[in-house]
Amino acid sequence: MGNRKRIDDAKMSDEIVAENGLINRRTLLRNALFTAGIAAASGGVVRADDSAGANAPEWMKTPGRPFSGYGVPSKWQEKVQRIFTIAPGRAGTGVSRTPLHLLEGTITPAGLHFERHHNGVPDIDPAKHELFIHGMVKQPLAFSLEALMRYPMETHVYFVECAGNSGAFSSPQPPQVTSGELNGLLSCSEWTGVRLSVLLAEAGIAKDAKWIIAEGADAAAMSRSIPVEKCMDDAMIAMYQNGEAIRPEQGFPMRLLVPGFEGNMNVKWLRRLNVVDAPVDARDETSHYTELMPSGKARQFMFLQGAKSAIVKPSFGMTMKGPGLYEISGLAWSGAGRISKVEVSADGGKSWAVAALTEPVLPKALTRFRMPWQWDGRPSTLMSRATDEKGGTQPTRAAWIGEYAPGQGYHFNGVQSWSIEADGAVKNVYA
Amino acid sequence: MGNRKRIDDAKMSDEIVAENGLINRRTLLRNALFTAGIAAASGGVVRADDSAGANAPEWMKTPGRPFSGYGVPSKWQEKVQRIFTIAPGRAGTGVSRTPLHLLEGTITPAGLHFERHHNGVPDIDPAKHELFIHGMVKQPLAFSLEALMRYPMETHVYFVECAGNSGAFSSPQPPQVTSGELNGLLSCSEWTGVRLSVLLAEAGIAKDAKWIIAEGADAAAMSRSIPVEKCMDDAMIAMYQNGEAIRPEQGFPMRLLVPGFEGNMNVKWLRRLNVVDAPVDARDETSHYTELMPSGKARQFMFLQGAKSAIVKPSFGMTMKGPGLYEISGLAWSGAGRISKVEVSADGGKSWAVAALTEPVLPKALTRFRMPWQWDGRPSTLMSRATDEKGGTQPTRAAWIGEYAPGQGYHFNGVQSWSIEADGAVKNVYA
């Protein structure tokens, strides 16, 4: 640390918000120095007149590359990719995960949004695609994309999370993989489209309608039964994602969004909405996406994604660079609404401090939390625990596991823990 | 319109919010039908059991394409590109504009963020890049990217707008080009990085420091003088854009952000911050980015981007499909803070109605506004007018032009007008 000053231990004692080094953010911004790796600049390196001089870096000495119609990330970022898990011999069936541990903020770049495909990504000609609303309606309707574009639009930031996200926490030993591999069936976008209730009102939905069967135009004809109440609430037909046309992997030219409900109910490449009085018991709501209980029975139609959080910095694969100040940062979310609080512990859950939340905190959207931490270099266990505005919170992993049959991996929302080793390594632990 | 019902004219009269068809949004969602192009679905087209049947579209009959590491837009969107204007013989000098008229919501996809380069895009090795803070400081500092990543981060949604955006409105005749070509030196991103005031406090900025010279590591060594007050306020060093590492065209690996100030002060590829007591009179604050007044003198250091708005739907290049209901939609923004109100007129400014604003309305960010319109098929003139929370608003174009020497094109924020012709064509007019 050389000539750099440190926070005085005595002064620090007033500013501790939980044990083992969790400190007040305002204090930090006023007094603290994140000094590791900062060099005092020598006068020779930065002279006021050296912009064209001998010390200028090579890329200042030659014209840069020209303009591009549609930009891509830096070549230095080529390792920032989605992480695949694909069924053997079936290239279009499986998942790819968002590398959450390599990202920041709350919006997921569309190119890195997680994928869950049941038979690949269809190449849909938008001029030939139609959305049908039929069944228990006064007037069946067919909408071209062009027709739907005439309707009043809404814009909302929502996360989408696969029901199977974080399922690896049901395994007996904690998997030593990155936060992206553990939790990356989770992404967050700004979606723009038409409120579904507007279209259903136009079709004249029957009073005794109870469910709507949503079907995708992929080769799996992915289908799910959605309660009518959700369809008349905040469900929407999204046509834009992060400002541009929705990406093929997320349902181009249109997908259903049922904010806060498990991922595969947000049917991609949406083709049909069949209004009915009973669920269809589609393949993907019987063979998958049910919760096996200790009794041997399975719970069906558990739609809502619970309150949840994960620390992504630090996380597995990163190495702490010695004692000093660090920012702990992560994501929190809940299908029930806004995140009201995220607590962080640096002593394995014995004491907790309330983290700062990035504003604006939006309902059913990813919320970034941040907490300053002065690590003393000793082994420590980091945890985060989210609470939503409806009072929903995260159980311990042990409590969550106790609710289900062994190996049941849907809807895991238990508290996650990272162990910081004395050598700076970060490990996944069941604390 | 066939068998589709229309809003009854008598009922409508209660719901008019301004002349020439501007109507209440709630009424619209309750009663109105955006019917053009909607077909009543025939029973034969949508049977409940046809998902694998003869009527299924071709893309449901074959497995889709497999997973991808980093996704790209649909091939059907290949015309959604940035729009170039490049200096003759200098491939890296000029601008590319965001195609605002083809987008929705408020976030600009990073691949379509506008570009303004003075000598191309440098290819910077992030491991070799350093940010120097020097000049009137107690301790000059050099930050590697890795060191900067240790600091507390902040996440904010901010627009960036070139001072020359919409400069074409200073031409004597209204240019017949798209809204993207007129207004597309404007984009909005979620930025994450370190508050500059934290770094300046660490360097120990002198009390009599007045300006900071920011210099980029491009071949133009693009430099601007920034008032110290702004640097100690909401300025930040951004390293992430829309969740991922900042794109090369926006400054990879880091850029300065001075929210609400003209675009080129947000110095990309940021290399140096030289703390001084007087502005440097850099090339790009003398030869460009000044306002020529009728007296022949030029005003310098007019940093703030004023309250402004533009209707993008409908706009030039689109064609109205006959009388009926439409949604008017556009963008509003102000360098001074939040947009408090956007008014829309359909009769050339004689009457105005208040548009709905997409929540959350964030300071110094793009705000989407929407207004339902029942077009009766007669020639009409559409306008929008934004007001910000500080009371700033848009002058008429004529009033704006009167302030400056002929041809002065920086900082145009006058009211813009689209004429809707009887045949449905949309033209740029000076109304």
Side-chain angles (χ1 to χ4, degrees):
Chain A
M1 311 292 276
N3 59 350
R4 322 288 314 125
K5 67 176 170 155
R6 293 281 299 280
I7 294 182
D8 179 81
D9 283 347
K11 197 167 77 184
M12 277 292 297
S13 64
D14 293 342
E15 307 293 350
I16 288 169
V17 292
E19 295 307 307
N20 197 18
L22 297 181
I23 59 180
N24 184 295
R25 184 170 171 89
R26 282 185 304 271
T27 309
L28 184 83
L29 295 179
R30 210 161 50 231
N31 298 318
L33 305 176
F34 285 69
T35 53
I38 301 174
S42 77
V45 174
V46 277
R47 294 193 312 274
D49 61 351
D50 83 338
S51 61
N55 290 320
E58 55 190 287
W59 42 79
M60 293 185 77
K61 296 175 182 168
T62 178
R65 71 167 171 70
F67 292 77
S68 55
Y70 196 98
V72 296
S74 165
K75 70 179 187 191
W76 303 95
Q77 292 290 302
E78 64 186 4
K79 289 184 179 167
V80 182
Q81 297 269 330
R82 292 188 280 222
I83 307 153
F84 299 177
T85 309
I86 294 169
R90 296 169 64 198
T93 303
V95 296
S96 76
R97 292 172 164 85
T98 297
L100 299 172
H101 54 295
L102 304 176
L103 304 180
E104 254 292 352
T106 66
I107 292 289
T108 308
L112 294 173
H113 193 290
F114 87 87
E115 302 170 272
R116 169 70 177 111
H117 307 314
H118 296 78
N119 203 353
V121 180
D123 176 22
I124 298 179
D125 179 348
K128 293 182 186 166
H129 181 80
E130 284 183 298
L131 169 63
F132 302 106
I133 297 180
H134 65 119
M136 296 171 69
V137 293
K138 283 195 190 127
Q139 168 84 335
L141 293 174
F143 299 88
S144 66
L145 179 63
E146 188 186 5
L148 212 48
M149 289 287 203
R150 283 282 297 272
Y151 278 73
M153 298 270 185
E154 298 188 5
T155 298
H156 300 278
V157 177
Y158 291 131
F159 76 82
V160 179
E161 182 184 22
C162 180
N165 194 30
S166 320
F169 285 92
S170 66
S171 64
Q173 296 302 319
Q176 299 306 327
V177 296
T178 64
S179 183
E181 284 163 283
L182 288 170
N183 298 305
L185 294 175
L186 169 72
S187 304
C188 185
S189 305
E190 185 200 73
W191 305 99
T192 298
V194 177
R195 188 75 77 116
L196 178 52
S197 61
V198 174
L199 305 183
L200 291 173
E202 181 152 341
I205 188 168
K207 279 187 181 154
D208 50 350
K210 293 277 187 294
W211 295 79
I212 294 184
I213 316 304
E215 181 188 277
D218 58 328
M222 232 295 297
S223 300
R224 285 302 306 262
S225 306
I226 323 278
V228 153
E229 294 74 15
K230 182 68 174 177
C231 296
M232 296 302 286
D233 180 20
D234 57 0
M236 63 189 284
I237 312 296
M239 290 170 283
Y240 294 90
Q241 175 187 12
N242 295 347
E244 66 189 338
I246 196 168
R247 291 290 179 89
E249 302 97 304
Q250 278 83 56
F252 180 84
M254 60 183 71
R255 84 178 297 169
L256 180 62
L257 273 181
V258 282
F261 278 21
E262 59 184 22
N264 84 331
M265 299 178 72
N266 298 270
V267 174
K268 295 178 287 193
W269 317 294
L270 186 67
R271 177 181 179 238
R272 290 202 295 166
L273 294 166
N274 185 11
V275 182
V276 293
D277 59 4
V280 75
D281 285 322
R283 182 183 52 206
D284 284 295
E285 59 200 29
T286 52
S287 70
H288 296 89
Y289 305 110
T290 59
E291 299 175 355
L292 193 60
M293 307 305 290
S295 66
K297 293 198 174 180
R299 279 202 303 217
Q300 203 180 11
F301 304 134
M302 306 300 290
F303 302 136
L304 203 67
Q305 298 295 108
K308 193 164 166 183
S309 66
I311 292 171
V312 298
K313 195 175 78 174
S315 63
F316 179 86
M318 301 175 190
T319 305
M320 306 287 282
K321 303 266 165 71
L325 277 166
Y326 290 86
E327 180 173 78
I328 297 168
S329 148
L331 297 166
W333 64 100
S334 169
R338 284 181 179 78
I339 289 297
S340 58
K341 182 174 65 171
V342 178
E343 296 160 292
V344 171
S345 174
D347 58 4
K350 289 195 276 292
S351 70
W352 296 86
V354 176
L357 305 182
T358 290
E359 296 287 343
V361 177
L362 300 172
K364 308 178 187 180
L366 293 189
T367 296
R368 173 73 55 172
F369 64 88
R370 304 182 190 280
M371 165 67 64
W373 183 38
Q374 185 154 43
W375 183 46
D376 61 11
R378 289 181 297 183
S380 304
T381 301
L382 301 181
M383 295 175 160
S384 64
R385 184 171 63 194
T387 302
D388 67 35
E389 61 184 344
K390 303 285 169 60
T393 188
Q394 299 184 250
T396 63
R397 175 182 173 275
W400 188 90
I401 289 280
E403 293 280 314
Y404 301 99
Q408 195 299 108
Y410 289 117
H411 300 136
F412 177 82
N413 76 327
V415 168
Q416 304 182 19
S417 309
W418 298 115
S419 155
I420 311 297
E421 315 283 303
D423 65 357
V426 184
K427 289 192 178 163
N428 185 10
V429 289
Y430 292 161
Chain B
M1 314 292 274
N3 58 351
R4 322 286 315 127
K5 69 178 168 155
R6 291 283 300 280
I7 294 182
D8 180 79
D9 282 347
K11 196 167 75 182
M12 278 291 297
S13 63
D14 292 341
E15 307 293 349
I16 288 168
V17 290
E19 295 307 309
N20 198 21
L22 297 182
I23 59 180
N24 183 296
R25 185 170 169 90
R26 284 185 303 273
T27 310
L28 185 82
L29 295 178
R30 210 162 51 231
N31 298 317
L33 305 176
F34 285 70
T35 51
I38 302 173
S42 76
V45 174
V46 277
R47 292 192 315 272
D49 61 351
D50 82 339
S51 60
N55 291 320
E58 55 190 288
W59 40 81
M60 294 185 77
K61 296 175 182 167
T62 180
R65 69 166 172 71
F67 292 76
S68 55
Y70 196 99
V72 297
S74 165
K75 71 179 186 191
W76 303 95
Q77 293 289 303
E78 64 186 4
K79 289 185 180 167
V80 182
Q81 298 269 332
R82 293 189 278 223
I83 308 153
F84 299 176
T85 309
I86 295 169
R90 298 168 64 199
T93 303
V95 297
S96 76
R97 292 173 164 85
T98 297
L100 300 172
H101 54 294
L102 304 177
L103 303 180
E104 252 292 352
T106 66
I107 293 289
T108 307
L112 295 172
H113 192 290
F114 87 88
E115 302 169 273
R116 169 70 176 110
H117 307 314
H118 296 78
N119 203 355
V121 180
D123 177 22
I124 298 179
D125 179 348
K128 294 183 186 163
H129 181 79
E130 285 184 298
L131 171 63
F132 302 106
I133 298 182
H134 64 118
M136 297 171 68
V137 294
K138 283 193 191 132
Q139 167 86 332
L141 294 174
F143 299 87
S144 66
L145 180 62
E146 188 185 5
L148 211 49
M149 289 287 201
R150 284 281 297 272
Y151 277 72
M153 298 268 186
E154 298 189 5
T155 299
H156 300 278
V157 176
Y158 290 132
F159 76 82
V160 178
E161 182 184 22
C162 180
N165 194 30
S166 322
F169 285 94
S170 66
S171 65
Q173 296 301 319
Q176 299 307 326
V177 296
T178 64
S179 183
E181 285 164 283
L182 289 169
N183 297 305
L185 295 174
L186 169 73
S187 305
C188 185
S189 304
E190 185 200 70
W191 304 99
T192 298
V194 177
R195 187 75 76 116
L196 178 52
S197 60
V198 174
L199 306 182
L200 292 173
E202 181 151 341
I205 187 168
K207 280 187 181 156
D208 50 348
K210 293 278 188 295
W211 295 79
I212 294 185
I213 316 303
E215 181 188 277
D218 59 328
M222 231 296 297
S223 301
R224 286 302 305 263
S225 307
I226 324 278
V228 153
E229 293 74 16
K230 183 66 175 178
C231 296
M232 296 301 287
D233 180 20
D234 57 0
M236 64 190 283
I237 313 294
M239 290 169 284
Y240 293 90
Q241 175 188 11
N242 294 346
E244 66 190 337
I246 196 168
R247 292 290 179 90
E249 303 97 303
Q250 279 83 56
F252 180 85
M254 60 184 71
R255 84 177 299 170
L256 180 63
L257 273 181
V258 282
F261 277 22
E262 60 184 21
N264 83 331
M265 299 179 72
N266 300 268
V267 174
K268 296 178 288 194
W269 317 294
L270 186 68
R271 176 181 179 238
R272 290 202 295 164
L273 293 167
N274 185 10
V275 183
V276 293
D277 59 3
V280 74
D281 286 324
R283 182 184 52 207
D284 284 294
E285 58 199 34
T286 51
S287 70
H288 296 90
Y289 305 108
T290 60
E291 299 176 352
L292 192 62
M293 307 305 291
S295 66
K297 294 198 173 180
R299 279 202 301 217
Q300 203 179 8
F301 301 135
M302 306 300 289
F303 302 136
L304 202 66
Q305 298 293 109
K308 194 164 164 183
S309 67
I311 292 170
V312 297
K313 194 174 79 174
S315 63
F316 179 86
M318 301 175 190
T319 305
M320 307 286 282
K321 303 266 165 71
L325 277 166
Y326 290 85
E327 180 172 77
I328 297 168
S329 149
L331 296 166
W333 63 101
S334 169
R338 286 181 177 78
I339 289 297
S340 57
K341 181 174 67 170
V342 179
E343 297 161 291
V344 172
S345 174
D347 58 5
K350 288 195 278 289
S351 69
W352 297 86
V354 176
L357 304 182
T358 290
E359 296 288 341
V361 176
L362 299 172
K364 309 177 187 180
L366 293 188
T367 296
R368 173 73 55 171
F369 64 87
R370 303 182 189 281
M371 166 65 67
W373 183 36
Q374 184 153 44
W375 184 45
D376 62 10
R378 286 180 300 183
S380 304
T381 301
L382 301 181
M383 295 174 161
S384 64
R385 185 172 62 194
T387 302
D388 66 36
E389 60 184 344
K390 303 286 169 60
T393 189
Q394 300 183 249
T396 63
R397 176 183 172 276
W400 187 90
I401 288 279
E403 293 282 313
Y404 301 99
Q408 197 298 109
Y410 289 117
H411 301 135
F412 177 82
N413 76 327
V415 168
Q416 303 182 19
S417 310
W418 298 115
S419 155
I420 311 297
E421 314 284 301
D423 65 358
V426 184
K427 289 192 177 163
N428 185 10
V429 290
Y430 292 161

